[in-house]
């Protein structure tokens, strides 16, 4: 599903930063993987490359057989729409749209009927426990509630690849564990490939594989039970 081959990502600027230094990785379809590592170790950069939001400076990024390194912005955007759900570290909700409208957004882009959209949005809001906030605007919500809206928006589309950057960073322990169990259920029921960036050991422990990054390199890659939390 995901193959990285000698991937390097350097950000140019006053002082150029090597965010990823020669990473090679293979993640099979249906895996649920946690990525951990210190702040600045390249976790979000890696996720951005996997989701086709950015391209590597050198090396190959193959996602579902598609070589993203060679694609332009427009081609990558079409690819994202059909294949990838993304839970951003900073949510990226539309401030002028209600909770329901935010969650429905990716479905409108996919051209689904209004009735089907309403059904899916209601289901996703129920999954994250936000039915009662459907008509609120994002700035009328708490940080954790906004995070759950972003999660619901990522879940409505049934994309084969789900990428999540600190999905439980603003949630209390109980709610965080609930969300992770929900992601795990989706992983099992739909076979969705899931990659979660997290600082939280407990979040990582629901994943069957843990990859550690340090200074832009893989510093550990091991299988674990994935039963905890
Ligand atoms: N757009 C950018 N321009 C320049 N440097 C960047 C850019 N984005 C990230 N970096 C740098 O690349 C390195 C990796 O950043 P990245 O965001 O991938 O880290 P991270 O592991 O996600 O950290 P955190 O846990 O704090 O979210 C950092 O040193 C960061 O300063
Ligand atoms: Mg980050």
């Amino acid at each position: 599903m995901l193959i990285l081959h000698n991937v390097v990502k350097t950000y140019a600027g006053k002082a150029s930063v090597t965010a990823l230094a020669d990473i090679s990785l293979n993640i099979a379809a249906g895996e649920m993987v946690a990525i951990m590592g210190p702040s600045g170790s390249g976790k979000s950069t890696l996720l951005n490359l996997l989701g086709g939001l950015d391209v590597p400076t050198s090396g190959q990024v193959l996602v579902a057989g598609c070589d993203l390194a060679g694609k332009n912005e427009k081609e990558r955007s079409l690819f994202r729409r059909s294949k990838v759900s993304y839970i951003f570290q900073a949510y990226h909700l539309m401030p002028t749209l209600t909770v329901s409208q935010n969650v429905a957004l990716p479905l409108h882009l996919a051209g689904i009927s209004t009735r089907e959209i309403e059904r899916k949005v209601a289901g996703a809001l129920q999954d994250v426990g936000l039915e009662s906030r459907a008509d609120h605007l994002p700035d009328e919500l708490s940080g954790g509630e906004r995070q759950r809206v972003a999660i619901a928006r990522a879940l409505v589309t049934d994309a084969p690849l789900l990428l999540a950057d600190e999905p439980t960073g603003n949630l209390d322990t109980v709610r965080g564990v609930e969300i992770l169990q929900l992601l795990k259920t989706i992983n099992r029921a739909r076979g969705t490939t899931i990659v979660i960036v997290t600082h939280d050991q407990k979040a990582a422990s629901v994943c069957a594989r843990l990859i550690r990054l340090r200074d832009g390199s893989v510093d550990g890659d091991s299988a674990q039970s994935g039963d905890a939390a």
Side-chain angles (χ1 to χ4, degrees):
M1 179 73 175
L2 303 170
I3 299 171
L4 298 191
H5 194 62
N6 297 125
V7 166
V8 174
K9 179 65 185 181
T10 308
Y11 292 108
K14 275 186 197 136
S16 95
V17 175
T18 301
L20 296 176
D22 198 12
I23 291 208
S24 294
L25 266 184
N26 213 323
I27 295 175
E31 276 198 84
M32 183 161 178
V33 181
I35 302 200
M36 295 189 83
S39 179
S41 58
K43 304 180 299 295
S44 294
T45 302
L46 177 63
L47 221 57
N48 288 343
L49 296 183
L50 292 175
L53 289 165
D54 204 352
V55 287
T57 308
S58 64
Q60 268 186 315
V61 178
L62 292 163
V63 180
C66 181
D67 184 358
L68 293 177
K71 299 242 179 296
N72 63 33
E73 172 52 41
K74 198 173 170 193
E75 292 166 326
R76 281 184 284 119
S77 138
L78 281 173
F79 163 85
R80 284 200 300 273
R81 210 173 283 176
S82 62
K83 300 274 192 251
V84 188
S85 286
Y86 208 112
I87 303 171
F88 291 95
Q89 196 165 12
Y91 318 148
H92 293 190
L93 302 176
M94 306 292 272
T96 57
L97 299 183
T98 66
V99 165
S100 285
Q101 289 165 338
N102 266 286
V103 174
L105 209 53
L107 297 175
H108 286 299
L109 295 172
I112 298 171
S113 77
T114 312
R115 174 177 290 236
E116 182 69 2
I117 288 177
E118 279 171 11
R119 194 185 62 78
K120 282 179 182 263
V121 168
L125 287 179
Q126 192 155 22
D127 281 344
V128 299
L130 280 182
E131 319 83 291
S132 64
R133 297 287 184 277
D135 298 323
H136 285 231
L137 292 170
D139 68 9
E140 296 165 348
L141 301 175
S142 73
E145 286 169 343
R146 277 177 226 172
Q147 186 151 42
R148 285 186 276 152
V149 177
I151 291 166
R153 182 182 55 187
L155 298 182
V156 277
T157 55
D158 291 338
L161 175 61
L162 175 65
L163 303 172
D165 203 345
E166 296 276 356
T168 60
N170 279 301
L171 303 181
D172 60 81
T173 314
V174 174
R175 185 64 79 173
V177 169
E178 267 173 36
I179 292 291
L180 288 161
Q181 295 295 5
L182 173 65
L183 294 181
K184 185 157 192 155
T185 306
I186 284 166
N187 164 255
R188 292 207 170 132
R190 303 182 190 167
T192 309
T193 309
I194 301 184
V195 181
I196 299 178
V197 167
T198 183
H199 278 110
D200 179 3
Q201 189 65 53
K202 214 168 189 158
S205 65
V206 303
C207 300
R209 179 175 173 190
L210 172 61
I211 295 171
R212 287 186 186 277
L213 290 187
R214 179 172 293 277
D215 298 334
S217 296
V218 175
D219 187 41
D221 185 350
S222 54
Q224 52 186 23
S225 79
D227 292 333

